[in-house]
Every structure is written in C-alpha cells, then in structure tokens.
mmCIF file of all heavy atoms in Angstrom:
data_model
loop_
_atom_site.group_PDB
_atom_site.id
_atom_site.type_symbol
_atom_site.label_atom_id
_atom_site.label_comp_id
_atom_site.label_asym_id
_atom_site.label_seq_id
_atom_site.Cartn_x
_atom_site.Cartn_y
_atom_site.Cartn_z
ATOM 1 N N LEU A 23 70.812 170.408 -31.429
ATOM 2 C CA LEU A 23 72.210 170.904 -31.561
ATOM 3 C C LEU A 23 72.679 170.781 -32.986
ATOM 4 O O LEU A 23 73.339 171.685 -33.513
ATOM 5 C CB LEU A 23 73.077 170.153 -30.614
ATOM 6 C CG LEU A 23 72.922 170.425 -29.134
ATOM 7 C CD1 LEU A 23 73.701 169.508 -28.262
ATOM 8 C CD2 LEU A 23 73.103 171.891 -28.785
ATOM 9 N N VAL A 24 72.268 169.663 -33.617
ATOM 10 C CA VAL A 24 72.760 169.433 -35.106
ATOM 11 C C VAL A 24 72.127 170.561 -35.925
ATOM 12 O O VAL A 24 72.789 171.131 -36.831
ATOM 13 C CB VAL A 24 72.384 168.029 -35.550
ATOM 14 C CG1 VAL A 24 72.414 167.962 -37.017
ATOM 15 C CG2 VAL A 24 73.200 167.030 -34.911
ATOM 16 N N LEU A 25 70.928 170.952 -35.690
ATOM 17 C CA LEU A 25 70.197 171.975 -36.501
ATOM 18 C C LEU A 25 70.784 173.327 -36.154
ATOM 19 O O LEU A 25 70.817 174.132 -37.139
ATOM 20 C CB LEU A 25 68.706 171.986 -36.222
ATOM 21 C CG LEU A 25 67.995 170.746 -36.865
ATOM 22 C CD1 LEU A 25 66.572 170.694 -36.385
ATOM 23 C CD2 LEU A 25 68.148 170.797 -38.377
ATOM 24 N N ILE A 26 71.273 173.565 -34.921
ATOM 25 C CA ILE A 26 72.001 174.863 -34.620
ATOM 26 C C ILE A 26 73.258 174.939 -35.533
ATOM 27 O O ILE A 26 73.640 175.917 -36.132
ATOM 28 C CB ILE A 26 72.263 174.995 -33.190
ATOM 29 C CG1 ILE A 26 70.957 175.248 -32.372
ATOM 30 C CG2 ILE A 26 73.261 176.166 -32.944
ATOM 31 C CD1 ILE A 26 71.146 175.115 -30.951
ATOM 32 N N VAL A 27 73.960 173.817 -35.584
ATOM 33 C CA VAL A 27 75.276 173.770 -36.367
ATOM 34 C C VAL A 27 74.899 174.046 -37.790
ATOM 35 O O VAL A 27 75.544 174.851 -38.490
ATOM 36 C CB VAL A 27 75.901 172.447 -36.140
ATOM 37 C CG1 VAL A 27 77.091 172.251 -37.143
ATOM 38 C CG2 VAL A 27 76.484 172.288 -34.730
ATOM 39 N N ALA A 28 73.893 173.266 -38.354
ATOM 40 C CA ALA A 28 73.504 173.430 -39.774
ATOM 41 C C ALA A 28 73.055 174.895 -40.027
ATOM 42 O O ALA A 28 73.476 175.436 -41.043
ATOM 43 C CB ALA A 28 72.370 172.491 -40.078
ATOM 44 N N ALA A 29 72.276 175.456 -39.118
ATOM 45 C CA ALA A 29 71.855 176.866 -39.387
ATOM 46 C C ALA A 29 73.027 177.848 -39.257
ATOM 47 O O ALA A 29 73.085 178.835 -40.048
ATOM 48 C CB ALA A 29 70.758 177.210 -38.324
ATOM 49 N N GLY A 30 73.964 177.491 -38.442
ATOM 50 C CA GLY A 30 75.162 178.419 -38.285
ATOM 51 C C GLY A 30 75.958 178.374 -39.534
ATOM 52 O O GLY A 30 76.495 179.422 -40.035
ATOM 53 N N PHE A 31 76.151 177.114 -40.141
ATOM 54 C CA PHE A 31 76.961 177.087 -41.306
ATOM 55 C C PHE A 31 76.180 177.672 -42.584
ATOM 56 O O PHE A 31 76.809 178.234 -43.452
ATOM 57 C CB PHE A 31 77.424 175.661 -41.614
ATOM 58 C CG PHE A 31 78.499 175.645 -42.671
ATOM 59 C CD1 PHE A 31 79.781 176.144 -42.444
ATOM 60 C CD2 PHE A 31 78.223 175.288 -44.029
ATOM 61 C CE1 PHE A 31 80.774 176.224 -43.372
ATOM 62 C CE2 PHE A 31 79.210 175.303 -44.985
ATOM 63 C CZ PHE A 31 80.450 175.738 -44.617
ATOM 64 N N LEU A 32 74.905 177.519 -42.543
ATOM 65 C CA LEU A 32 74.111 178.083 -43.665
ATOM 66 C C LEU A 32 74.201 179.622 -43.503
ATOM 67 O O LEU A 32 74.311 180.363 -44.537
ATOM 68 C CB LEU A 32 72.620 177.664 -43.542
ATOM 69 C CG LEU A 32 71.698 178.069 -44.752
ATOM 70 C CD1 LEU A 32 72.266 177.473 -46.035
ATOM 71 C CD2 LEU A 32 70.341 177.546 -44.480
ATOM 72 N N ARG A 33 74.241 180.143 -42.356
ATOM 73 C CA ARG A 33 74.455 181.626 -42.190
ATOM 74 C C ARG A 33 75.815 181.996 -42.682
ATOM 75 O O ARG A 33 75.861 183.049 -43.387
ATOM 76 C CB ARG A 33 74.401 181.941 -40.672
ATOM 77 C CG ARG A 33 74.566 183.356 -40.341
ATOM 78 C CD ARG A 33 75.457 183.594 -39.127
ATOM 79 N NE ARG A 33 75.790 184.927 -38.896
ATOM 80 C CZ ARG A 33 76.927 185.470 -39.300
ATOM 81 N NH1 ARG A 33 77.829 184.881 -40.071
ATOM 82 N NH2 ARG A 33 77.150 186.781 -39.052
ATOM 83 N N HIS A 34 76.850 181.192 -42.392
ATOM 84 C CA HIS A 34 78.158 181.491 -42.983
ATOM 85 C C HIS A 34 78.149 181.512 -44.450
ATOM 86 O O HIS A 34 78.676 182.438 -45.047
ATOM 87 C CB HIS A 34 79.122 180.467 -42.461
ATOM 88 C CG HIS A 34 80.503 180.512 -43.096
ATOM 89 N ND1 HIS A 34 81.355 181.545 -42.856
ATOM 90 C CD2 HIS A 34 81.067 179.703 -44.068
ATOM 91 C CE1 HIS A 34 82.469 181.368 -43.600
ATOM 92 N NE2 HIS A 34 82.237 180.261 -44.286
ATOM 93 N N ILE A 35 77.463 180.574 -45.094
ATOM 94 C CA ILE A 35 77.354 180.489 -46.570
ATOM 95 C C ILE A 35 76.635 181.778 -47.073
ATOM 96 O O ILE A 35 77.153 182.304 -48.059
ATOM 97 C CB ILE A 35 76.695 179.209 -47.028
ATOM 98 C CG1 ILE A 35 77.545 177.946 -46.776
ATOM 99 C CG2 ILE A 35 76.351 179.320 -48.479
ATOM 100 C CD1 ILE A 35 76.790 176.678 -46.887
ATOM 101 N N TYR A 36 75.640 182.145 -46.417
ATOM 102 C CA TYR A 36 74.898 183.314 -46.876
ATOM 103 C C TYR A 36 75.744 184.531 -46.741
ATOM 104 O O TYR A 36 75.733 185.407 -47.598
ATOM 105 C CB TYR A 36 73.595 183.531 -45.991
ATOM 106 C CG TYR A 36 72.399 182.689 -46.407
ATOM 107 C CD1 TYR A 36 72.545 181.642 -47.293
ATOM 108 C CD2 TYR A 36 71.170 182.976 -46.003
ATOM 109 C CE1 TYR A 36 71.514 180.782 -47.619
ATOM 110 C CE2 TYR A 36 70.128 182.153 -46.311
ATOM 111 C CZ TYR A 36 70.274 181.099 -47.126
ATOM 112 O OH TYR A 36 69.174 180.384 -47.473
ATOM 113 N N TYR A 37 76.467 184.689 -45.599
ATOM 114 C CA TYR A 37 77.257 185.850 -45.325
ATOM 115 C C TYR A 37 78.394 186.023 -46.410
ATOM 116 O O TYR A 37 78.590 187.063 -46.965
ATOM 117 C CB TYR A 37 77.844 185.832 -43.965
ATOM 118 C CG TYR A 37 78.594 186.982 -43.592
ATOM 119 C CD1 TYR A 37 77.950 188.205 -43.235
ATOM 120 C CD2 TYR A 37 80.000 187.049 -43.630
ATOM 121 C CE1 TYR A 37 78.704 189.421 -42.951
ATOM 122 C CE2 TYR A 37 80.766 188.125 -43.269
ATOM 123 C CZ TYR A 37 80.038 189.351 -42.952
ATOM 124 O OH TYR A 37 80.793 190.409 -42.652
ATOM 125 N N VAL A 38 79.084 184.933 -46.583
ATOM 126 C CA VAL A 38 80.207 185.087 -47.576
ATOM 127 C C VAL A 38 79.748 185.262 -49.005
ATOM 128 O O VAL A 38 80.526 185.705 -49.835
ATOM 129 C CB VAL A 38 81.230 183.839 -47.462
ATOM 130 C CG1 VAL A 38 81.892 183.861 -46.069
ATOM 131 C CG2 VAL A 38 80.628 182.521 -47.808
ATOM 132 N N SER A 39 78.534 184.834 -49.272
ATOM 133 C CA SER A 39 77.975 184.965 -50.676
ATOM 134 C C SER A 39 77.268 186.264 -50.854
ATOM 135 O O SER A 39 76.912 186.668 -51.953
ATOM 136 C CB SER A 39 77.125 183.854 -51.000
ATOM 137 O OG SER A 39 75.910 183.922 -50.247
ATOM 138 N N GLY A 40 77.096 187.090 -49.742
ATOM 139 C CA GLY A 40 76.482 188.368 -49.805
ATOM 140 C C GLY A 40 75.031 188.363 -49.621
ATOM 141 O O GLY A 40 74.315 189.359 -49.803
ATOM 142 N N LEU A 41 74.406 187.199 -49.365
ATOM 143 C CA LEU A 41 72.947 187.111 -49.127
ATOM 144 C C LEU A 41 72.642 187.456 -47.699
ATOM 145 O O LEU A 41 72.762 186.509 -46.828
ATOM 146 C CB LEU A 41 72.452 185.682 -49.554
ATOM 147 C CG LEU A 41 71.012 185.414 -49.320
ATOM 148 C CD1 LEU A 41 70.170 186.343 -50.135
ATOM 149 C CD2 LEU A 41 70.656 183.971 -49.821
ATOM 150 N N THR A 42 72.328 188.716 -47.374
ATOM 151 C CA THR A 42 72.143 189.081 -46.011
ATOM 152 C C THR A 42 70.721 189.680 -45.893
ATOM 153 O O THR A 42 70.371 190.090 -44.719
ATOM 154 C CB THR A 42 73.133 190.131 -45.592
ATOM 155 O OG1 THR A 42 73.135 191.193 -46.469
ATOM 156 C CG2 THR A 42 74.565 189.487 -45.595
ATOM 157 N N SER A 43 69.937 189.842 -46.883
ATOM 158 C CA SER A 43 68.577 190.238 -46.799
ATOM 159 C C SER A 43 67.760 189.637 -47.866
ATOM 160 O O SER A 43 68.257 189.206 -48.857
ATOM 161 C CB SER A 43 68.530 191.823 -46.860
ATOM 162 O OG SER A 43 69.031 192.185 -48.052
ATOM 163 N N GLY A 44 66.469 189.748 -47.697
ATOM 164 C CA GLY A 44 65.430 189.242 -48.742
ATOM 165 C C GLY A 44 64.993 187.874 -48.394
ATOM 166 O O GLY A 44 65.630 186.872 -48.674
ATOM 167 N N VAL A 45 63.833 187.818 -47.666
ATOM 168 C CA VAL A 45 63.314 186.574 -47.217
ATOM 169 C C VAL A 45 63.047 185.565 -48.395
ATOM 170 O O VAL A 45 63.432 184.391 -48.334
ATOM 171 C CB VAL A 45 62.016 186.761 -46.391
ATOM 172 C CG1 VAL A 45 61.298 185.415 -46.160
ATOM 173 C CG2 VAL A 45 62.368 187.507 -45.095
ATOM 174 N N PRO A 46 62.469 186.048 -49.581
ATOM 175 C CA PRO A 46 62.287 185.111 -50.646
ATOM 176 C C PRO A 46 63.601 184.463 -51.174
ATOM 177 O O PRO A 46 63.659 183.322 -51.480
ATOM 178 C CB PRO A 46 61.640 185.938 -51.769
ATOM 179 C CG PRO A 46 60.953 187.007 -51.013
ATOM 180 C CD PRO A 46 61.850 187.362 -49.892
ATOM 181 N N LEU A 47 64.643 185.336 -51.273
ATOM 182 C CA LEU A 47 66.020 184.748 -51.720
ATOM 183 C C LEU A 47 66.553 183.795 -50.659
ATOM 184 O O LEU A 47 67.053 182.670 -51.065
ATOM 185 C CB LEU A 47 66.934 185.888 -51.918
ATOM 186 C CG LEU A 47 66.615 186.800 -53.108
ATOM 187 C CD1 LEU A 47 67.643 187.927 -53.144
ATOM 188 C CD2 LEU A 47 66.799 185.957 -54.440
ATOM 189 N N GLY A 48 66.398 184.123 -49.397
ATOM 190 C CA GLY A 48 66.848 183.216 -48.354
ATOM 191 C C GLY A 48 66.099 181.825 -48.332
ATOM 192 O O GLY A 48 66.755 180.816 -48.210
ATOM 193 N N LEU A 49 64.773 181.918 -48.556
ATOM 194 C CA LEU A 49 63.980 180.794 -48.659
ATOM 195 C C LEU A 49 64.451 179.871 -49.876
ATOM 196 O O LEU A 49 64.629 178.654 -49.723
ATOM 197 C CB LEU A 49 62.526 181.115 -48.776
ATOM 198 C CG LEU A 49 61.521 179.898 -48.824
ATOM 199 C CD1 LEU A 49 60.432 180.123 -47.775
ATOM 200 C CD2 LEU A 49 60.956 179.726 -50.154
ATOM 201 N N VAL A 50 64.591 180.473 -51.017
ATOM 202 C CA VAL A 50 64.949 179.696 -52.211
ATOM 203 C C VAL A 50 66.397 179.127 -52.061
ATOM 204 O O VAL A 50 66.552 177.964 -52.394
ATOM 205 C CB VAL A 50 64.734 180.506 -53.460
ATOM 206 C CG1 VAL A 50 65.386 179.854 -54.707
ATOM 207 C CG2 VAL A 50 63.356 180.869 -53.735
ATOM 208 N N ALA A 51 67.347 179.915 -51.556
ATOM 209 C CA ALA A 51 68.607 179.406 -51.373
ATOM 210 C C ALA A 51 68.682 178.208 -50.349
ATOM 211 O O ALA A 51 69.308 177.226 -50.590
ATOM 212 C CB ALA A 51 69.618 180.599 -50.940
ATOM 213 N N GLY A 52 67.974 178.381 -49.233
ATOM 214 C CA GLY A 52 67.901 177.345 -48.301
ATOM 215 C C GLY A 52 67.275 176.074 -48.925
ATOM 216 O O GLY A 52 67.730 174.977 -48.657
ATOM 217 N N MET A 53 66.155 176.263 -49.614
ATOM 218 C CA MET A 53 65.536 175.113 -50.313
ATOM 219 C C MET A 53 66.490 174.439 -51.241
ATOM 220 O O MET A 53 66.498 173.183 -51.342
ATOM 221 C CB MET A 53 64.293 175.579 -51.006
ATOM 222 C CG MET A 53 63.466 174.488 -51.583
ATOM 223 S SD MET A 53 62.036 175.055 -52.538
ATOM 224 C CE MET A 53 61.101 175.918 -51.218
ATOM 225 N N GLY A 54 67.296 175.138 -51.979
ATOM 226 C CA GLY A 54 68.285 174.646 -52.824
ATOM 227 C C GLY A 54 69.249 173.776 -52.162
ATOM 228 O O GLY A 54 69.699 172.749 -52.619
ATOM 229 N N VAL A 55 69.734 174.177 -51.003
ATOM 230 C CA VAL A 55 70.689 173.461 -50.198
ATOM 231 C C VAL A 55 70.117 172.072 -49.826
ATOM 232 O O VAL A 55 70.680 171.040 -49.944
ATOM 233 C CB VAL A 55 71.163 174.268 -48.902
ATOM 234 C CG1 VAL A 55 71.897 173.294 -47.958
ATOM 235 C CG2 VAL A 55 72.001 175.421 -49.267
ATOM 236 N N GLY A 56 68.849 172.128 -49.369
ATOM 237 C CA GLY A 56 68.213 170.891 -48.932
ATOM 238 C C GLY A 56 67.922 169.919 -50.115
ATOM 239 O O GLY A 56 68.110 168.818 -50.152
ATOM 240 N N LEU A 57 67.431 170.528 -51.271
ATOM 241 C CA LEU A 57 67.042 169.814 -52.387
ATOM 242 C C LEU A 57 68.226 169.277 -53.243
ATOM 243 O O LEU A 57 68.192 168.101 -53.770
ATOM 244 C CB LEU A 57 66.127 170.599 -53.290
ATOM 245 C CG LEU A 57 65.479 169.904 -54.491
ATOM 246 C CD1 LEU A 57 64.631 168.751 -54.056
ATOM 247 C CD2 LEU A 57 64.647 170.998 -55.317
ATOM 248 N N TYR A 58 69.288 170.061 -53.283
ATOM 249 C CA TYR A 58 70.360 169.638 -54.191
ATOM 250 C C TYR A 58 71.631 169.163 -53.494
ATOM 251 O O TYR A 58 72.557 168.705 -54.180
ATOM 252 C CB TYR A 58 70.694 170.847 -55.141
ATOM 253 C CG TYR A 58 69.565 171.111 -56.082
ATOM 254 C CD1 TYR A 58 68.888 172.302 -55.898
ATOM 255 C CD2 TYR A 58 69.205 170.261 -57.031
ATOM 256 C CE1 TYR A 58 67.759 172.568 -56.748
ATOM 257 C CE2 TYR A 58 68.138 170.514 -57.875
ATOM 258 C CZ TYR A 58 67.457 171.729 -57.688
ATOM 259 O OH TYR A 58 66.282 171.952 -58.475
ATOM 260 N N PHE A 59 71.707 169.322 -52.166
ATOM 261 C CA PHE A 59 72.879 168.829 -51.430
ATOM 262 C C PHE A 59 72.443 167.711 -50.433
ATOM 263 O O PHE A 59 72.987 166.645 -50.544
ATOM 264 C CB PHE A 59 73.562 169.937 -50.615
ATOM 265 C CG PHE A 59 74.354 170.845 -51.448
ATOM 266 C CD1 PHE A 59 73.822 172.124 -51.812
ATOM 267 C CD2 PHE A 59 75.612 170.545 -51.927
ATOM 268 C CE1 PHE A 59 74.561 173.026 -52.585
ATOM 269 C CE2 PHE A 59 76.321 171.351 -52.678
ATOM 270 C CZ PHE A 59 75.770 172.638 -53.004
ATOM 271 N N ILE A 60 71.460 167.998 -49.513
ATOM 272 C CA ILE A 60 71.101 167.052 -48.500
ATOM 273 C C ILE A 60 70.297 165.953 -49.002
ATOM 274 O O ILE A 60 70.652 164.779 -48.736
ATOM 275 C CB ILE A 60 70.443 167.797 -47.328
ATOM 276 C CG1 ILE A 60 71.287 168.957 -46.771
ATOM 277 C CG2 ILE A 60 70.086 166.872 -46.192
ATOM 278 C CD1 ILE A 60 70.608 169.870 -45.734
ATOM 279 N N ALA A 61 69.248 166.166 -49.732
ATOM 280 C CA ALA A 61 68.421 165.073 -50.162
ATOM 281 C C ALA A 61 69.121 164.059 -51.112
ATOM 282 O O ALA A 61 69.043 162.853 -50.885
ATOM 283 C CB ALA A 61 67.165 165.670 -50.925
ATOM 284 N N PRO A 62 69.933 164.554 -51.998
ATOM 285 C CA PRO A 62 70.779 163.473 -52.791
ATOM 286 C C PRO A 62 71.678 162.713 -51.916
ATOM 287 O O PRO A 62 71.958 161.491 -52.187
ATOM 288 C CB PRO A 62 71.505 164.315 -53.824
ATOM 289 C CG PRO A 62 70.687 165.583 -53.987
ATOM 290 C CD PRO A 62 70.150 165.875 -52.584
ATOM 291 N N TRP A 63 72.243 163.322 -50.925
ATOM 292 C CA TRP A 63 73.145 162.636 -50.013
ATOM 293 C C TRP A 63 72.404 161.542 -49.316
ATOM 294 O O TRP A 63 72.912 160.406 -49.074
ATOM 295 C CB TRP A 63 73.875 163.510 -49.102
ATOM 296 C CG TRP A 63 75.270 163.190 -48.799
ATOM 297 C CD1 TRP A 63 75.689 162.181 -47.906
ATOM 298 C CD2 TRP A 63 76.485 163.697 -49.357
ATOM 299 N NE1 TRP A 63 77.004 162.065 -47.918
ATOM 300 C CE2 TRP A 63 77.540 163.080 -48.775
ATOM 301 C CE3 TRP A 63 76.733 164.770 -50.202
ATOM 302 C CZ2 TRP A 63 78.864 163.420 -49.047
ATOM 303 C CZ3 TRP A 63 77.978 165.121 -50.467
ATOM 304 C CH2 TRP A 63 79.065 164.458 -49.930
ATOM 305 N N MET A 64 71.258 161.886 -48.836
ATOM 306 C CA MET A 64 70.367 160.968 -48.135
ATOM 307 C C MET A 64 70.022 159.775 -49.045
ATOM 308 O O MET A 64 70.035 158.592 -48.695
ATOM 309 C CB MET A 64 69.082 161.595 -47.655
ATOM 310 C CG MET A 64 69.303 162.433 -46.458
ATOM 311 S SD MET A 64 67.578 163.099 -46.004
ATOM 312 C CE MET A 64 67.964 163.989 -44.632
ATOM 313 N N TRP A 65 69.743 160.124 -50.370
ATOM 314 C CA TRP A 65 69.353 159.158 -51.341
ATOM 315 C C TRP A 65 70.496 158.105 -51.525
ATOM 316 O O TRP A 65 70.300 156.933 -51.489
ATOM 317 C CB TRP A 65 69.048 159.805 -52.584
ATOM 318 C CG TRP A 65 68.379 158.932 -53.579
ATOM 319 C CD1 TRP A 65 67.918 157.567 -53.460
ATOM 320 C CD2 TRP A 65 68.130 159.164 -54.965
ATOM 321 N NE1 TRP A 65 67.412 157.127 -54.607
ATOM 322 C CE2 TRP A 65 67.493 158.041 -55.537
ATOM 323 C CE3 TRP A 65 68.373 160.303 -55.790
ATOM 324 C CZ2 TRP A 65 67.107 157.994 -56.927
ATOM 325 C CZ3 TRP A 65 67.960 160.274 -57.102
ATOM 326 C CH2 TRP A 65 67.344 159.110 -57.651
ATOM 327 N N MET A 66 71.796 158.679 -51.563
ATOM 328 C CA MET A 66 72.925 157.726 -51.732
ATOM 329 C C MET A 66 73.055 156.791 -50.530
ATOM 330 O O MET A 66 73.258 155.567 -50.666
ATOM 331 C CB MET A 66 74.228 158.515 -51.847
ATOM 332 C CG MET A 66 74.405 159.207 -53.221
ATOM 333 S SD MET A 66 76.052 159.882 -53.374
ATOM 334 C CE MET A 66 76.169 160.929 -51.954
ATOM 335 N N THR A 67 72.831 157.282 -49.274
ATOM 336 C CA THR A 67 73.020 156.410 -48.157
ATOM 337 C C THR A 67 71.783 155.462 -48.014
ATOM 338 O O THR A 67 71.936 154.316 -47.650
ATOM 339 C CB THR A 67 73.048 157.246 -46.784
ATOM 340 O OG1 THR A 67 71.946 158.012 -46.685
ATOM 341 C CG2 THR A 67 74.288 158.062 -46.765
ATOM 342 N N HIS A 68 70.596 155.904 -48.405
ATOM 343 C CA HIS A 68 69.485 154.966 -48.493
ATOM 344 C C HIS A 68 69.610 153.921 -49.568
ATOM 345 O O HIS A 68 69.296 152.742 -49.245
ATOM 346 C CB HIS A 68 68.113 155.726 -48.746
ATOM 347 C CG HIS A 68 67.761 156.613 -47.569
ATOM 348 N ND1 HIS A 68 66.782 157.524 -47.724
ATOM 349 C CD2 HIS A 68 68.150 156.665 -46.286
ATOM 350 C CE1 HIS A 68 66.587 158.214 -46.548
ATOM 351 N NE2 HIS A 68 67.481 157.617 -45.687
ATOM 352 N N LEU A 69 70.246 154.249 -50.657
ATOM 353 C CA LEU A 69 70.514 153.221 -51.663
ATOM 354 C C LEU A 69 71.546 152.243 -51.094
ATOM 355 O O LEU A 69 71.355 150.998 -51.409
ATOM 356 C CB LEU A 69 71.097 153.925 -52.949
ATOM 357 C CG LEU A 69 70.089 154.617 -53.874
ATOM 358 C CD1 LEU A 69 70.881 155.365 -54.941
ATOM 359 C CD2 LEU A 69 69.222 153.575 -54.452
ATOM 360 N N ALA A 70 72.552 152.634 -50.489
ATOM 361 C CA ALA A 70 73.611 151.832 -49.922
ATOM 362 C C ALA A 70 73.028 150.835 -48.859
ATOM 363 O O ALA A 70 73.412 149.730 -48.691
ATOM 364 C CB ALA A 70 74.774 152.618 -49.308
#
C-alpha cells in the first residue's frame, strides 16, 4: 500500500511537470527521486 501511494504521488509529479512519455526519462527522473530525496532522508534517520 505504501508503494501504491508513492507511485501515485510520483505519477502526480510527472504529470504536473509534463513528463508523460519516454521510458528513459521516467527511469532517470525516478532514480533521481530515490537517490536525491529518499536515500538522504534515510541516511539522516540512520545517523540519528
């Protein structure tokens, strides 16, 4: 369920930014969300 929520919001982000096609662009944008938003947040909580 959490992953459905995450995918739903990532879809929203893609839609409002105009990214509605292009698998390579979708892959890189998704990777950026994980690498530059989620992973650093995890690192902060792991540090704490």
Side-chain angles (χ1 to χ4, degrees):
L23 293 174
V24 166
L25 288 172
I26 291 170
V27 170
F31 194 72
L32 190 58
R33 179 220 175 266
H34 170 72
I35 292 169
Y36 280 15
Y37 182 77
V38 298
S39 67
L41 178 56
T42 57
S43 63
V45 172
L47 290 174
L49 184 131
V50 170
M53 186 181 300
V55 168
L57 187 60
Y58 297 109
F59 287 101
I60 301 170
W63 215 284
M64 285 181 179
W65 190 10
M66 286 189 305
T67 59
H68 290 166
L69 282 170

